């Protein structure tokens, strides 16, 4: 049954069907949640695009803070954008480098944004509210893995 296969997938099933072993209370809750996901009606409410008619600017890295509804997007051109969700309002756009931003991250308080650019061997931490660099490090001897 397709529905049961989907439930096994969404509930992290191990291939052992619930009928083969006794269900625990945790299994029952997980299975109920999985049935709700499978039977729900899904759709898009809106779409937003970052390409702005540029074939050279692609999204490479992202980070999202659900607590603060902030999305950071790193592009292949060295540009990054900070957006407020769900409206996708642009808060900041800044060019950090001429190379790909390989990694972006948001700290738990969402005050600082971290960026890694492996090709230029740069690590940057930026406080977006005051628009100041907390750390700007470059020139790692053995390269940088992001």
């Amino acid at each position: 049954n397709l529905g049961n296969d989907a439930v096994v997938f969404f509930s992290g099933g191990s291939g052992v069907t619930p009928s083969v072993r006794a269900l625990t209370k945790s299994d029952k809750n997980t299975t109920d949640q999985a049935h709700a996901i499978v039977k729900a009606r899904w759709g898009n409410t809106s779409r937003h695009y970052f390409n702005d008619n540029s074939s050279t600017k692609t999204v490479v890295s992202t980070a999202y803070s659900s607590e603060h509804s902030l999305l950071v997007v790193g592009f292949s051109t060295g540009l990054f954008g900070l957006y407020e969700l769900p409206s996708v309002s642009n808060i900041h756009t800044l060019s950090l480098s001429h190379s790909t931003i390989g990694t972006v991250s948001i700290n738990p308080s969402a005050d600082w944004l971290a960026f890694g650019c492996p090709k230029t061997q740069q690590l940057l931490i930026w406080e977006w509210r005051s628009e100041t660099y907390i750390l700007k490090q470059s020139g790692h001897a053995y390269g940088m893995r992001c």
Side-chain angles (χ1 to χ4, degrees):
N1 181 330
L2 179 61
N4 287 335
D5 290 343
V7 168
V8 169
F9 173 79
F10 282 111
S11 62
S14 61
V16 177
T17 58
S19 60
V20 174
R21 61 181 175 81
L23 284 174
T24 66
K25 187 173 184 174
S26 174
D27 290 337
K28 177 88 170 101
N29 289 341
T30 302
T31 303
D32 289 345
Q33 289 174 351
H35 275 289
I37 291 171
V38 170
K39 293 179 181 178
R41 184 176 177 106
W42 295 86
N44 291 331
T45 57
S46 63
R47 292 183 184 190
H48 301 275
Y49 298 94
F50 292 113
N51 63 359
D52 63 325
N53 299 323
S54 172
S55 61
T56 60
K57 186 170 95 171
T58 57
V59 173
V60 176
S61 52
T62 61
Y64 176 65
S65 170
S66 58
E67 185 178 338
H68 299 93
S69 299
L70 293 175
L71 174 68
V72 181
V73 180
F75 296 98
S76 60
T77 57
L79 190 74
F80 86 89
L82 176 63
Y83 302 90
E84 183 178 25
L85 297 181
S87 64
V88 193
S89 300
N90 184 284
I91 298 171
H92 284 290
T93 301
L94 187 65
S95 178
L96 298 177
S97 170
H98 294 292
S99 298
T100 298
I101 297 177
T103 300
V104 297
S105 185
I106 305 173
N107 78 327
S109 65
D111 293 327
W112 294 359
L113 310 176
F115 304 94
C117 302
K119 187 174 180 182
T120 58
Q121 300 177 348
Q122 287 183 320
L123 173 64
L124 298 112
I125 299 177
W126 192 62
E127 204 282 321
W128 65 271
R129 286 187 175 97
S130 66
E131 299 183 22
T132 57
Y133 288 108
I134 304 301
L135 174 75
K136 189 173 185 179
Q137 182 70 42
S138 63
H140 298 273
Y142 297 105
M144 185 177 193
R145 182 178 290 178
C146 296

